[in-house]
Amino acid sequence: MTDYPMAPAAIRAARAEHSNLRDRDFADKFGISEGQLVAAYAGEGVTRISAHPDRIMPRLASLGEVMALTRNQSCVIEKVGVYENYHSGQHASMILNEAIDLRLFPKHFVSAFAVERQTDKGTKRSIQIFDAAGDAVHKVHLREASDLQAWEQLVAELALPEQSQDLKVEPRKPAEPPKANPDKAEALRREWARMTDTHQFLRLTSKLKMNRLGAYRIAGAPLARELAPAAVNEMLFAVRDQGVEVMIFVGNMGCIEIHGGPVKTLREMGPWQNILDPGFDLHLRLDHIAEVWAVTKPTQRGDAISVEAFDADGGIIFQVFGRRTEAKDHRPEWNTIVENLAALPAKETA
């Protein structure tokens, strides 16, 4: 465990002097985690609650309409809906409905808080969940239509006996750098071409002592084609202009949140590209994109084609696929968009 960098009282005093900063920016400025900032207010509008998704997620449906937020260093996704249809799992759980689509990894649900914060626009309420480093895994923000009586019951049921304002954290784990095994390049291509489901890909790379980005770098076309970083913006505008429904995956080690549907409103602000649609917002740092890949994975339902963006450390920022539904199992217009994205000059493969 790391030494505690600031006492809770010192955190609150500094926060009062820098009330204009977002929580994440304040935490970075003062060398603490966002979880430690939230914990410093335990007993002062913040209640420490049980963190396991089996405890939290089934109770969230009672709140009615809320906003689900998941982020990494470079991208934030926000979806409005109800937390219905929770499926528990030892290693991975999920919320699965039309609006809220989540994949949850319980071992990273380390601490959680029910937060009530007074603002100029009234009381803001949220559930905030953090990993061992104190980084946000997932947040649930109440909205005007949310059920406040259900909120009070949820907080009472999940409150922990210990309400300490201290939160010990572990060092943040860096993103795994690209890992390839050139000696196994032919085996990678051969077994990749035999895949019948996209979920087989990570098992394949693990077996060959590689990871996602490392495998992309040595596979070569037509399996993986490197694109220019600007292709991400090009892709988003094409999806918007052509009305193509997509699936956008944004996540961190503890949670992946998915949007399924169209993209209607794009608004670039500084380094951020923003999707601002009813019930769906996405905020993407274009300047963080270091590598982009167009990837083809064979499945029993035909090729699954994605555009995937990575940061300079090799961490995945987001993935975009053509949306498949029972009503429309194939979207050739998405495949055409990806085919037309500008590629980087071909590199020699192993």
Side-chain angles (χ1 to χ4, degrees), residues 26-340:
F26 174 88
D28 289 343
K29 178 180 178 67
F30 284 89
I32 63 174
S33 72
E34 189 180 352
Q36 288 171 318
L37 169 59
V38 175
Y41 288 87
E44 301 184 26
V46 171
T47 303
R48 298 183 73 135
I49 62 174
S50 177
H52 198 283
D54 283 355
R55 293 276 290 156
I56 294 177
M57 296 297 156
R59 291 171 167 80
L60 293 178
S62 67
L63 299 177
E65 183 184 270
V66 294
M67 186 265 279
L69 183 152
T70 305
R71 72 174 302 158
N72 54 49
Q73 293 280 2
S74 306
C75 196
V76 185
I77 184 171
E78 303 169 4
K79 293 280 291 184
V80 174
V82 179
Y83 277 70
E84 294 175 329
N85 201 21
Y86 174 64
H87 300 268
S88 176
Q90 183 178 355
H91 302 293
S93 304
M94 67 174 67
I95 295 280
L96 187 58
N97 62 69
E98 187 70 19
I100 307 290
D101 191 351
L102 305 173
R103 305 296 177 269
L104 312 166
F105 305 98
K107 73 176 183 179
H108 296 291
F109 283 56
V110 175
S111 60
F113 305 86
V115 179
E116 293 188 284
R117 182 174 295 170
Q118 303 303 319
T119 73
D120 294 338
K121 298 181 179 179
T123 303
K124 301 295 184 182
R125 297 173 176 86
S126 61
I127 299 292
Q128 303 191 21
I129 302 160
F130 299 90
D131 64 15
D135 291 333
V137 169
H138 187 62
K139 297 181 181 180
V140 183
H141 291 270
L142 273 67
R143 292 167 56 84
E144 188 174 344
S146 303
D147 188 325
L148 295 186
Q149 184 175 350
W151 161 265
E152 292 174 0
Q153 183 175 348
L154 179 151
V155 175
E157 290 177 351
L158 295 182
L160 296 175
E162 174 58 52
Q163 292 291 320
S164 171
Q165 295 180 336
D166 290 322
L167 181 68
K168 299 295 184 182
V169 298
E170 298 177 357
R172 181 180 294 131
K173 292 183 179 179
E176 183 180 53
K179 185 170 63 174
N181 186 350
D183 293 339
K184 297 289 182 67
E186 285 302 325
L188 171 68
R189 298 179 192 120
R190 182 175 60 252
E191 295 193 40
W192 187 333
R194 295 173 179 169
M195 283 171 38
T196 58
D197 188 289
T198 57
H199 296 96
Q200 296 168 352
F201 181 75
L202 292 183
R203 292 196 293 272
L204 169 61
T205 55
S206 177
K207 182 179 74 172
L208 297 176
K209 309 300 183 186
M210 306 185 199
N211 62 11
R212 183 191 302 274
L213 184 53
Y216 292 170
R217 286 182 175 182
I218 68 171
L223 301 174
R225 181 171 62 100
E226 188 171 8
L227 307 177
V232 168
N233 226 13
E234 180 185 348
M235 175 269 296
L236 289 173
F237 279 107
V239 167
R240 182 200 66 180
D241 294 344
Q242 297 181 35
V244 177
E245 291 196 7
V246 292
M247 296 191 72
I248 302 176
F249 294 69
V250 178
N252 50 59
M253 290 188 297
C255 181
I256 297 171
E257 186 166 340
I258 305 162
H259 165 71
V263 170
K264 297 180 180 178
T265 304
L266 289 171
R267 188 171 301 162
E268 201 163 339
M269 303 176 192
W272 294 91
Q273 177 59 277
N274 302 278
I275 301 173
L276 304 173
D277 288 344
F280 167 49
D281 285 2
L282 184 134
H283 313 287
L284 171 67
R285 282 290 297 258
L286 295 172
D287 59 330
H288 285 189
I289 297 173
E291 289 187 42
V292 183
W293 292 85
V295 183
T296 299
K297 297 187 181 81
T299 79
Q300 290 180 330
R301 299 168 61 187
D303 287 345
I305 296 174
S306 60
V307 172
E308 307 186 17
F310 297 81
D311 63 25
D313 296 324
I316 190 163
I317 296 173
F318 81 153
Q319 299 170 291
V320 185
F321 292 79
R323 188 185 189 198
R324 288 177 168 180
T325 63
E326 291 185 6
K328 191 165 186 178
D329 191 50
H330 187 54
R331 296 188 187 272
E333 61 272 30
W334 163 252
N335 299 351
T336 300
I337 288 174
V338 178
E339 289 170 6
N340 290 331

